[in-house]
Amino acid sequence: MDKINLKNMTLKEMEVFFESIGEKKFRAKQVYQWLYRGISSFDEMTDLSKELREKLHTYAEIGNLKIIEVQSSKTDGTKKYLFGLEDGNSIESVFMKYKHGNSICISSQAGCRMGCKFCASTIGGLCRNLTAGEIIDQIVSVEKDTKEKISNIVVMGTGEPFDNYDNLFKFIHLANSKEGLNIGMRSITVSTCGIVPKIAEFAKDFPQANLAISLHAPNDEIRNRTMPINKKYDMEKLLDACHDYVKDTGRRITFEYALVSGVNDQSVHAEELSKRLRKIMCHVNLIPLNSVTESGLNGSSRAYALEFKDRLERLGITTTVRRELGSDIDAACGQLRLKNYENLEN
Ligand code: SAH
């Protein structure tokens, strides 16, 4: 019989499980709370009887990610983790310190099948979806390793979260659960490359969470070249869905825009972009592209980014330039995982 992984369970599911093995419901809450305090084996759950711990060993397990590598920035406290999964796949997460609290960027899939030209995560294709337990465990493991509380989550690591919606859905409930990590919906941000039908679903399921869209282009011609998803859902469909999202949730949407030298960073692009975004309550976050050798695309300089920002602002679009954290480590999406993968191949 396969043992059941308790990290994949909501508190309610765990209560049902405890009753199914002849235990009282309240025991589930004790175990659940231990899990989110970073306890990784039944033997450490000191308020459970020896009999119960043995019974749990028989029927259940606690899935734990294994830390393969940690890179720590010497300048800003950023830490990048490479985690090993039970089947040998690996994923990465980035811990970042901000004035308003600690933040984590987590992965939703091992690999990715979206094929964006500038992104390192997609180079080996999709290996598989992460379970809700594997997504939440990135946070539990990093809190345990850093001994710091995380208050903000961005689902912006490897993978396309809306391509793994059911597990993302469960993960968000786990992260938000009062008895668990207790992270507020408003402190959770999900980033998508634009799987349009899921935008309305997300608005309905999580009206208080934040949504970021990886736009990266001012028109279909450029977006088709860099982001294959645009051939399925073009910019008009995407921006209509964003408009509805804002209407339904009352929340401002963020557009991520990585500046690629000579591709989307000219003044005509800023003008075109501002026209398309004018009717949407939004904010543009400019990202100086981290050059990934395999892509042949280069990031615009910081000076270019600031000029692009000024232009957009003059055109009435609120714009920020993303702070570059962890630039002395491999902090760009998928870079560490890719390096590990290449090391394995060589
Ligand atoms: N699939 C989701 C989330 C993961 S990608 C999405 O597309 O939003 C997270 C963000 O990093 C996206 O905005 C993505 O476009 C961006 N990104 C990918 N490669 C990058 C690179 N080399 N430099 C800068 N940003 C990059």
Side-chain angles (χ1 to χ4, degrees), residues 101-146:
N102 296 321
S103 188
I104 188 169
C105 173
I106 54 173
S107 297
S108 55
Q109 296 178 312
C112 183
R113 57 179 181 153
M114 295 297 128
C116 302
K117 292 287 183 293
F118 43 79
C119 183
S121 297
T122 200
I123 291 174
L126 176 67
C127 297
R128 68 169 171 86
N129 282 332
L130 299 185
T131 63
E134 288 166 334
I135 305 177
I136 197 94
D137 207 25
Q138 298 170 58
I139 306 174
V140 177
S141 304
V142 171
E143 284 196 339
K144 189 169 183 183
D145 187 66
T146 56

Side-chain angles (χ1 to χ4, degrees), residues 4-33 35-36 52 55-56 60 170 174 177-180:
I4 202 149
N5 178 5
L6 297 185
K7 280 231 177 92
N8 269 327
M9 288 186 166
T10 60
L11 178 56
K12 277 224 166 63
E13 287 169 342
M14 214 183 280
E15 285 171 353
V16 172
F17 166 71
F18 270 70
E19 284 178 323
S20 79
I21 59 168
E23 294 292 332
K24 292 264 173 2
K25 224 163 102 173
F26 77 92
R27 293 282 176 209
K29 190 160 155 188
Q30 282 178 303
V31 170
Y32 190 85
Q33 286 174 326
L35 293 184
Y36 292 99
L52 176 54
K55 197 172 193 181
L56 287 173
K170 187 169 208 178
L174 287 174
S177 141
K178 269 205 308 295
E179 296 80 5

Side-chain angles (χ1 to χ4, degrees), residues 118-119 155-157 159-161 191-193 214 216 256 287 289-290 292 333:
F118 43 79
C119 183
V155 189
M156 253 192 216
E160 169 48 48
S191 178
T192 177
C193 65
S214 297
H216 305 319
E256 308 284 335
I287 312 167
L289 184 90
N290 281 303
V292 175
C333 305

Side-chain angles (χ1 to χ4, degrees), residues 107-334:
S107 297
S108 55
Q109 296 178 312
C112 183
R113 57 179 181 153
M114 295 297 128
C116 302
K117 292 287 183 293
F118 43 79
C119 183
S121 297
T122 200
I123 291 174
L126 176 67
C127 297
R128 68 169 171 86
N129 282 332
L130 299 185
T131 63
E134 288 166 334
I135 305 177
I136 197 94
D137 207 25
Q138 298 170 58
I139 306 174
V140 177
S141 304
V142 171
E143 284 196 339
K144 189 169 183 183
D145 187 66
T146 56
K147 302 186 181 62
E148 299 221 32
K149 176 79 187 136
I150 286 167
S151 52
N152 207 56
I153 305 173
V154 293
V155 189
M156 253 192 216
T158 301
E160 169 48 48
F162 284 178
D163 191 33
N164 183 18
Y165 194 84
D166 292 348
N167 293 337
L168 174 81
F169 178 92
K170 187 169 208 178
F171 154 74
I172 294 178
H173 283 293
L174 287 174
N176 181 240
S177 141
K178 269 205 308 295
E179 296 80 5
L181 294 178
N182 195 18
I183 294 178
M185 282 293 178
R186 285 170 188 262
S187 304
I188 301 175
T189 301
V190 175
S191 178
T192 177
C193 65
I195 301 189
V196 165
K198 293 286 178 234
I199 294 178
E201 210 171 320
F202 185 74
K204 184 166 67 51
D205 292 336
F206 305 108
Q208 291 191 307
N210 307 297
L211 181 63
I213 306 282
S214 297
L215 196 61
H216 305 319
N219 59 45
D220 284 322
E221 192 264 315
I222 297 176
R223 204 164 191 265
N224 281 340
R225 268 194 280 147
T226 50
M227 301 182 71
I229 189 73
N230 200 66
K231 293 187 183 139
K232 189 155 185 198
Y233 306 110
D234 64 17
M235 273 182 71
E236 191 178 334
K237 289 199 187 89
L238 176 59
L239 296 179
D240 281 352
C242 291
H243 191 266
D244 291 346
Y245 171 88
V246 171
K247 198 171 74 207
D248 293 345
T249 61
R251 306 226 7 113
R252 189 170 73 153
I253 213 162
T254 299
F255 291 104
E256 308 284 335
Y257 194 100
L259 289 163
V260 189
S261 180
V263 173
N264 64 359
D265 65 345
Q266 309 294 305
S267 54
V268 285
H269 301 135
E271 273 151 33
E272 209 175 354
L273 184 65
S274 74
K275 277 195 200 118
R276 302 206 70 155
L277 300 186
R278 197 167 289 154
K279 287 208 201 78
I280 304 175
M281 181 168 69
C282 70
H283 156 245
V284 171
N285 190 19
L286 296 175
I287 312 167
L289 184 90
N290 281 303
S291 302
V292 175
T293 332
E294 287 77 358
S295 74
L297 300 169
N298 292 307
S300 316
S301 66
R302 187 118 192 132
Y304 242 95
L306 292 173
E307 201 180 305
F308 200 89
K309 167 183 154 59
D310 283 349
R311 197 167 287 271
L312 276 183
E313 295 237 294
R314 278 201 302 276
L315 294 163
I317 307 286
T318 314
T319 310
T320 48
V321 179
R322 185 187 285 176
R323 212 177 119 203
E324 282 179 276
L325 289 173
S327 48
D328 58 332
I329 55 179
D330 292 308
C333 305

